[in-house]
Short mmCIF file of all heavy atoms in Angstrom, two decimals:
data_model
loop_
_atom_site.label_atom_id
_atom_site.label_comp_id
_atom_site.label_asym_id
_atom_site.label_seq_id
_atom_site.Cartn_x
_atom_site.Cartn_y
_atom_site.Cartn_z
N GLY A 12 36.83 -22.89 -4.93
CA GLY A 12 35.91 -23.27 -3.86
C GLY A 12 35.51 -22.09 -3.00
O GLY A 12 34.36 -21.98 -2.56
N TYR A 13 36.45 -21.19 -2.76
CA TYR A 13 36.16 -19.98 -2.01
C TYR A 13 35.17 -19.11 -2.78
O TYR A 13 34.13 -18.71 -2.25
CB TYR A 13 37.46 -19.23 -1.74
CG TYR A 13 37.31 -18.01 -0.87
CD1 TYR A 13 37.25 -18.12 0.51
CD2 TYR A 13 37.24 -16.73 -1.44
CE1 TYR A 13 37.12 -17.00 1.32
CE2 TYR A 13 37.12 -15.61 -0.64
CZ TYR A 13 37.05 -15.75 0.73
OH TYR A 13 36.91 -14.62 1.52
N ALA A 14 35.47 -18.86 -4.04
CA ALA A 14 34.61 -18.00 -4.86
C ALA A 14 33.22 -18.61 -5.07
O ALA A 14 32.24 -17.87 -5.21
CB ALA A 14 35.27 -17.73 -6.21
N ALA A 15 33.12 -19.93 -5.04
CA ALA A 15 31.83 -20.60 -5.24
C ALA A 15 30.84 -20.26 -4.13
O ALA A 15 29.63 -20.44 -4.31
CB ALA A 15 32.03 -22.11 -5.31
N GLN A 16 31.31 -19.73 -3.01
CA GLN A 16 30.42 -19.36 -1.90
C GLN A 16 29.80 -17.98 -2.11
O GLN A 16 28.98 -17.53 -1.31
CB GLN A 16 31.18 -19.41 -0.57
CG GLN A 16 31.88 -20.72 -0.30
CD GLN A 16 31.00 -21.93 -0.56
OE1 GLN A 16 29.88 -22.00 -0.04
NE2 GLN A 16 31.49 -22.87 -1.33
N PHE A 17 30.18 -17.32 -3.18
CA PHE A 17 29.68 -15.98 -3.49
C PHE A 17 28.78 -16.03 -4.71
O PHE A 17 28.97 -16.84 -5.61
CB PHE A 17 30.87 -15.03 -3.73
CG PHE A 17 31.69 -14.81 -2.49
CD1 PHE A 17 32.65 -15.72 -2.10
CD2 PHE A 17 31.46 -13.71 -1.68
CE1 PHE A 17 33.39 -15.56 -0.93
CE2 PHE A 17 32.18 -13.52 -0.51
CZ PHE A 17 33.15 -14.45 -0.13
N ALA A 18 27.80 -15.13 -4.73
CA ALA A 18 26.87 -15.05 -5.87
C ALA A 18 27.63 -14.69 -7.14
O ALA A 18 28.71 -14.08 -7.09
CB ALA A 18 25.79 -14.01 -5.58
N GLU A 19 27.06 -15.05 -8.24
CA GLU A 19 27.66 -14.77 -9.55
C GLU A 19 28.00 -13.28 -9.70
O GLU A 19 29.01 -12.92 -10.29
CB GLU A 19 26.72 -15.21 -10.67
CG GLU A 19 27.32 -15.22 -12.04
CD GLU A 19 28.41 -16.27 -12.21
OE1 GLU A 19 28.26 -17.39 -11.72
OE2 GLU A 19 29.43 -15.94 -12.86
N ASP A 20 27.14 -12.41 -9.14
CA ASP A 20 27.34 -10.96 -9.27
C ASP A 20 27.70 -10.29 -7.93
O ASP A 20 27.44 -9.11 -7.73
CB ASP A 20 26.08 -10.32 -9.86
CG ASP A 20 24.85 -10.52 -8.98
OD1 ASP A 20 24.90 -11.32 -8.00
OD2 ASP A 20 23.83 -9.86 -9.25
N ALA A 21 28.33 -11.02 -7.03
CA ALA A 21 28.65 -10.51 -5.69
C ALA A 21 29.62 -9.32 -5.75
O ALA A 21 30.43 -9.22 -6.66
CB ALA A 21 29.27 -11.62 -4.84
N SER A 22 29.51 -8.47 -4.73
CA SER A 22 30.51 -7.41 -4.53
C SER A 22 31.39 -7.82 -3.36
O SER A 22 30.92 -8.44 -2.40
CB SER A 22 29.85 -6.06 -4.26
OG SER A 22 29.10 -6.09 -3.07
N TYR A 23 32.68 -7.48 -3.44
CA TYR A 23 33.67 -7.92 -2.46
C TYR A 23 34.64 -6.77 -2.23
O TYR A 23 35.39 -6.39 -3.13
CB TYR A 23 34.41 -9.14 -3.04
CG TYR A 23 35.24 -9.93 -2.08
CD1 TYR A 23 34.79 -11.15 -1.58
CD2 TYR A 23 36.49 -9.49 -1.68
CE1 TYR A 23 35.56 -11.91 -0.72
CE2 TYR A 23 37.27 -10.24 -0.81
CZ TYR A 23 36.80 -11.45 -0.33
OH TYR A 23 37.56 -12.21 0.53
N VAL A 24 34.59 -6.17 -1.04
CA VAL A 24 35.42 -5.01 -0.72
C VAL A 24 36.38 -5.41 0.40
O VAL A 24 35.96 -5.87 1.46
CB VAL A 24 34.56 -3.81 -0.28
CG1 VAL A 24 35.44 -2.61 0.07
CG2 VAL A 24 33.56 -3.44 -1.37
N ILE A 25 37.69 -5.20 0.15
CA ILE A 25 38.69 -5.57 1.15
C ILE A 25 39.11 -4.35 1.96
O ILE A 25 38.88 -3.21 1.56
CB ILE A 25 39.91 -6.27 0.51
CG1 ILE A 25 40.67 -5.34 -0.43
CG2 ILE A 25 39.47 -7.54 -0.21
CD1 ILE A 25 41.99 -5.90 -0.92
N PHE A 26 39.78 -4.62 3.09
CA PHE A 26 40.11 -3.55 4.04
C PHE A 26 41.03 -2.49 3.46
O PHE A 26 41.05 -1.36 3.94
CB PHE A 26 40.68 -4.13 5.34
CG PHE A 26 42.10 -4.62 5.25
CD1 PHE A 26 43.15 -3.80 5.59
CD2 PHE A 26 42.36 -5.91 4.83
CE1 PHE A 26 44.45 -4.25 5.52
CE2 PHE A 26 43.66 -6.37 4.76
CZ PHE A 26 44.70 -5.54 5.10
N MET A 27 41.80 -2.81 2.43
CA MET A 27 42.70 -1.83 1.83
C MET A 27 41.95 -0.86 0.92
O MET A 27 42.53 0.10 0.43
CB MET A 27 43.80 -2.53 1.04
CG MET A 27 44.73 -3.31 1.92
SD MET A 27 46.00 -4.30 1.07
CE MET A 27 45.97 -3.78 -0.62
N GLY A 28 40.66 -1.13 0.68
CA GLY A 28 39.87 -0.23 -0.15
C GLY A 28 39.68 -0.68 -1.57
O GLY A 28 39.11 0.05 -2.37
N ASP A 29 40.16 -1.87 -1.92
CA ASP A 29 39.93 -2.40 -3.26
C ASP A 29 38.58 -3.12 -3.31
O ASP A 29 38.16 -3.72 -2.33
CB ASP A 29 41.03 -3.39 -3.65
CG ASP A 29 42.37 -2.72 -3.89
OD1 ASP A 29 42.39 -1.51 -4.21
OD2 ASP A 29 43.40 -3.40 -3.75
N ALA A 30 37.94 -3.03 -4.47
CA ALA A 30 36.66 -3.70 -4.66
C ALA A 30 36.73 -4.58 -5.90
O ALA A 30 37.41 -4.25 -6.87
CB ALA A 30 35.54 -2.68 -4.82
N MET A 31 36.06 -5.71 -5.82
CA MET A 31 35.91 -6.56 -7.00
C MET A 31 34.44 -6.94 -7.12
O MET A 31 33.72 -6.95 -6.13
CB MET A 31 36.84 -7.78 -6.95
CG MET A 31 36.67 -8.66 -5.76
SD MET A 31 38.12 -9.68 -5.41
CE MET A 31 39.03 -8.58 -4.37
N PHE A 32 34.04 -7.24 -8.33
CA PHE A 32 32.64 -7.52 -8.59
C PHE A 32 32.53 -8.79 -9.42
O PHE A 32 33.17 -8.91 -10.47
CB PHE A 32 31.98 -6.35 -9.32
CG PHE A 32 32.05 -5.08 -8.51
CD1 PHE A 32 33.06 -4.15 -8.73
CD2 PHE A 32 31.15 -4.85 -7.49
CE1 PHE A 32 33.15 -3.00 -7.98
CE2 PHE A 32 31.23 -3.70 -6.71
CZ PHE A 32 32.24 -2.78 -6.97
N GLY A 33 31.76 -9.74 -8.91
CA GLY A 33 31.51 -10.99 -9.62
C GLY A 33 32.37 -12.13 -9.12
O GLY A 33 33.51 -11.94 -8.68
N ARG A 34 31.80 -13.31 -9.19
CA ARG A 34 32.48 -14.53 -8.73
C ARG A 34 33.79 -14.77 -9.47
O ARG A 34 34.78 -15.18 -8.88
CB ARG A 34 31.55 -15.72 -8.91
CG ARG A 34 32.12 -17.01 -8.35
CD ARG A 34 31.21 -18.20 -8.59
NE ARG A 34 29.93 -18.02 -7.91
CZ ARG A 34 28.77 -18.47 -8.39
NH1 ARG A 34 28.73 -19.10 -9.55
NH2 ARG A 34 27.67 -18.29 -7.71
N ALA A 35 33.81 -14.50 -10.77
CA ALA A 35 35.03 -14.74 -11.56
C ALA A 35 36.17 -13.87 -11.05
O ALA A 35 37.30 -14.34 -10.92
CB ALA A 35 34.77 -14.49 -13.04
N ALA A 36 35.90 -12.60 -10.74
CA ALA A 36 36.94 -11.71 -10.22
C ALA A 36 37.40 -12.16 -8.84
O ALA A 36 38.59 -12.09 -8.52
CB ALA A 36 36.42 -10.27 -10.17
N ILE A 37 36.47 -12.63 -8.03
CA ILE A 37 36.83 -13.12 -6.69
C ILE A 37 37.74 -14.34 -6.82
O ILE A 37 38.75 -14.46 -6.13
CB ILE A 37 35.55 -13.44 -5.87
CG1 ILE A 37 34.78 -12.14 -5.60
CG2 ILE A 37 35.89 -14.15 -4.57
CD1 ILE A 37 33.36 -12.35 -5.08
N ALA A 38 37.40 -15.25 -7.72
CA ALA A 38 38.22 -16.45 -7.93
C ALA A 38 39.61 -16.07 -8.44
O ALA A 38 40.62 -16.58 -7.94
CB ALA A 38 37.54 -17.40 -8.90
N GLN A 39 39.67 -15.20 -9.43
CA GLN A 39 40.97 -14.81 -10.01
C GLN A 39 41.84 -14.13 -8.96
O GLN A 39 43.02 -14.47 -8.81
CB GLN A 39 40.76 -13.87 -11.19
CG GLN A 39 42.06 -13.41 -11.82
CD GLN A 39 41.84 -12.44 -12.97
OE1 GLN A 39 40.71 -12.06 -13.28
NE2 GLN A 39 42.92 -12.05 -13.61
N THR A 40 41.29 -13.20 -8.22
CA THR A 40 42.06 -12.49 -7.20
C THR A 40 42.54 -13.46 -6.11
O THR A 40 43.69 -13.40 -5.67
CB THR A 40 41.22 -11.37 -6.58
OG1 THR A 40 40.89 -10.44 -7.61
CG2 THR A 40 41.98 -10.66 -5.46
N HIS A 41 41.66 -14.36 -5.69
CA HIS A 41 42.04 -15.28 -4.61
C HIS A 41 43.02 -16.35 -5.08
O HIS A 41 43.79 -16.86 -4.26
CB HIS A 41 40.81 -15.83 -3.91
CG HIS A 41 40.24 -14.82 -2.97
ND1 HIS A 41 39.40 -13.83 -3.41
CD2 HIS A 41 40.48 -14.60 -1.66
CE1 HIS A 41 39.11 -13.05 -2.38
NE2 HIS A 41 39.76 -13.49 -1.32
N HIS A 42 43.04 -16.65 -6.36
CA HIS A 42 44.10 -17.53 -6.86
C HIS A 42 45.46 -16.87 -6.58
O HIS A 42 46.38 -17.53 -6.09
CB HIS A 42 43.92 -17.82 -8.35
CG HIS A 42 45.08 -18.58 -8.92
ND1 HIS A 42 45.28 -19.91 -8.68
CD2 HIS A 42 46.12 -18.16 -9.68
CE1 HIS A 42 46.40 -20.30 -9.27
NE2 HIS A 42 46.93 -19.26 -9.89
N GLU A 43 45.57 -15.58 -6.88
CA GLU A 43 46.81 -14.85 -6.60
C GLU A 43 47.07 -14.77 -5.09
O GLU A 43 48.20 -14.93 -4.65
CB GLU A 43 46.74 -13.46 -7.21
CG GLU A 43 46.76 -13.47 -8.73
CD GLU A 43 46.71 -12.07 -9.30
OE1 GLU A 43 47.20 -11.12 -8.66
OE2 GLU A 43 46.17 -11.93 -10.41
N VAL A 44 46.03 -14.49 -4.32
CA VAL A 44 46.17 -14.41 -2.86
C VAL A 44 46.73 -15.72 -2.31
O VAL A 44 47.67 -15.74 -1.52
CB VAL A 44 44.81 -14.07 -2.20
CG1 VAL A 44 44.85 -14.29 -0.69
CG2 VAL A 44 44.40 -12.63 -2.52
N PHE A 45 46.15 -16.85 -2.74
CA PHE A 45 46.52 -18.15 -2.19
C PHE A 45 47.86 -18.67 -2.71
O PHE A 45 48.48 -19.53 -2.08
CB PHE A 45 45.44 -19.19 -2.47
CG PHE A 45 44.12 -18.90 -1.80
CD1 PHE A 45 42.94 -19.32 -2.37
CD2 PHE A 45 44.06 -18.22 -0.59
CE1 PHE A 45 41.73 -19.07 -1.75
CE2 PHE A 45 42.85 -17.96 0.02
CZ PHE A 45 41.68 -18.39 -0.55
N THR A 46 48.32 -18.16 -3.84
CA THR A 46 49.60 -18.63 -4.38
C THR A 46 50.74 -17.64 -4.15
O THR A 46 51.89 -17.98 -4.40
CB THR A 46 49.49 -18.93 -5.90
OG1 THR A 46 49.09 -17.75 -6.59
CG2 THR A 46 48.52 -20.07 -6.16
N ARG A 47 50.42 -16.45 -3.64
CA ARG A 47 51.45 -15.44 -3.41
C ARG A 47 51.42 -14.92 -1.99
O ARG A 47 52.12 -15.39 -1.13
CB ARG A 47 51.27 -14.27 -4.38
CG ARG A 47 51.48 -14.65 -5.82
CD ARG A 47 51.07 -13.52 -6.68
NE ARG A 47 52.12 -13.20 -7.63
CZ ARG A 47 52.10 -12.15 -8.39
NH1 ARG A 47 51.13 -11.29 -8.31
NH2 ARG A 47 53.08 -11.93 -9.25
N TRP A 48 50.56 -13.92 -1.74
CA TRP A 48 50.62 -13.15 -0.50
C TRP A 48 50.18 -13.91 0.74
O TRP A 48 50.68 -13.68 1.82
CB TRP A 48 49.78 -11.87 -0.62
CG TRP A 48 50.13 -11.09 -1.84
CD1 TRP A 48 51.29 -10.40 -2.05
CD2 TRP A 48 49.36 -10.95 -3.02
NE1 TRP A 48 51.28 -9.84 -3.30
CE2 TRP A 48 50.09 -10.16 -3.92
CE3 TRP A 48 48.11 -11.41 -3.41
CZ2 TRP A 48 49.63 -9.81 -5.17
CZ3 TRP A 48 47.64 -11.08 -4.66
CH2 TRP A 48 48.40 -10.29 -5.51
N GLN A 49 49.22 -14.79 0.60
CA GLN A 49 48.68 -15.50 1.77
C GLN A 49 48.85 -17.01 1.64
O GLN A 49 48.10 -17.78 2.25
CB GLN A 49 47.19 -15.15 1.97
CG GLN A 49 46.93 -13.70 2.27
CD GLN A 49 47.44 -13.28 3.64
OE1 GLN A 49 47.73 -14.09 4.50
NE2 GLN A 49 47.55 -11.98 3.84
N LYS A 50 49.85 -17.44 0.89
CA LYS A 50 50.08 -18.87 0.68
C LYS A 50 50.31 -19.57 2.02
O LYS A 50 51.11 -19.11 2.84
CB LYS A 50 51.30 -19.06 -0.22
CG LYS A 50 51.52 -20.50 -0.61
CD LYS A 50 52.67 -20.62 -1.59
CE LYS A 50 52.81 -22.07 -2.02
NZ LYS A 50 53.83 -22.20 -3.05
N GLY A 51 49.57 -20.65 2.24
CA GLY A 51 49.74 -21.45 3.44
C GLY A 51 49.07 -20.89 4.69
O GLY A 51 49.25 -21.43 5.78
N THR A 52 48.29 -19.82 4.54
CA THR A 52 47.63 -19.25 5.71
C THR A 52 46.33 -19.98 6.01
O THR A 52 45.78 -20.70 5.17
CB THR A 52 47.33 -17.75 5.53
OG1 THR A 52 46.46 -17.57 4.40
CG2 THR A 52 48.60 -16.95 5.36
N ARG A 53 45.87 -19.77 7.24
CA ARG A 53 44.58 -20.31 7.68
C ARG A 53 43.70 -19.14 8.10
O ARG A 53 44.20 -18.07 8.44
CB ARG A 53 44.77 -21.26 8.85
CG ARG A 53 45.54 -22.53 8.48
CD ARG A 53 45.72 -23.48 9.66
NE ARG A 53 46.37 -22.86 10.80
CZ ARG A 53 45.77 -22.58 11.97
NH1 ARG A 53 44.51 -22.88 12.18
NH2 ARG A 53 46.45 -22.00 12.95
N MET A 54 42.40 -19.39 8.11
CA MET A 54 41.43 -18.36 8.46
C MET A 54 40.77 -18.69 9.80
O MET A 54 40.45 -19.85 10.06
CB MET A 54 40.34 -18.27 7.39
CG MET A 54 39.18 -17.34 7.75
SD MET A 54 37.79 -17.46 6.59
CE MET A 54 38.43 -16.52 5.22
N ALA A 55 40.58 -17.67 10.60
CA ALA A 55 39.72 -17.77 11.78
C ALA A 55 38.54 -16.83 11.53
O ALA A 55 38.73 -15.70 11.07
CB ALA A 55 40.48 -17.34 13.04
N VAL A 56 37.34 -17.31 11.79
CA VAL A 56 36.15 -16.48 11.59
C VAL A 56 35.10 -16.88 12.62
O VAL A 56 34.90 -18.07 12.89
CB VAL A 56 35.61 -16.61 10.14
CG1 VAL A 56 35.19 -18.03 9.80
CG2 VAL A 56 34.47 -15.63 9.88
N LYS A 57 34.47 -15.87 13.22
CA LYS A 57 33.49 -16.12 14.27
C LYS A 57 32.36 -15.09 14.13
O LYS A 57 32.61 -13.88 14.13
CB LYS A 57 34.16 -15.97 15.63
CG LYS A 57 33.25 -16.08 16.81
CD LYS A 57 34.04 -15.86 18.09
CE LYS A 57 33.12 -15.65 19.26
NZ LYS A 57 33.88 -15.31 20.47
N PRO A 58 31.11 -15.55 14.05
CA PRO A 58 30.01 -14.59 13.97
C PRO A 58 29.81 -13.89 15.31
O PRO A 58 29.89 -14.51 16.37
CB PRO A 58 28.80 -15.46 13.62
CG PRO A 58 29.16 -16.84 14.06
CD PRO A 58 30.65 -16.94 14.00
#
């Protein structure tokens, strides 16, 4: 659901300096994020 908000060919650069390209890579990486490093976290975001 997170990755679905990004274009099929989106670029995604995180603060640590890693980059991923494409919705599939965003989904795969965030599966690991949500099941390991950031499991159970919530997001705050404000424009």
Side-chain angles (χ1 to χ4, degrees):
Y13 185 82
Q16 306 313 308
F17 293 82
E19 191 67 41
D20 61 350
S22 63
Y23 193 104
V24 179
I25 65 171
F26 75 94
M27 293 175 12
D29 290 336
M31 58 201 88
F32 301 96
R34 185 183 297 146
I37 295 167
Q39 179 182 3
T40 298
H41 282 83
H42 173 75
E43 292 180 30
V44 167
F45 296 150
T46 59
R47 295 170 129 190
W48 308 290
Q49 297 291 344
K50 186 176 183 175
T52 60
R53 294 180 304 111
M54 173 190 283
V56 61
K57 175 183 167 186

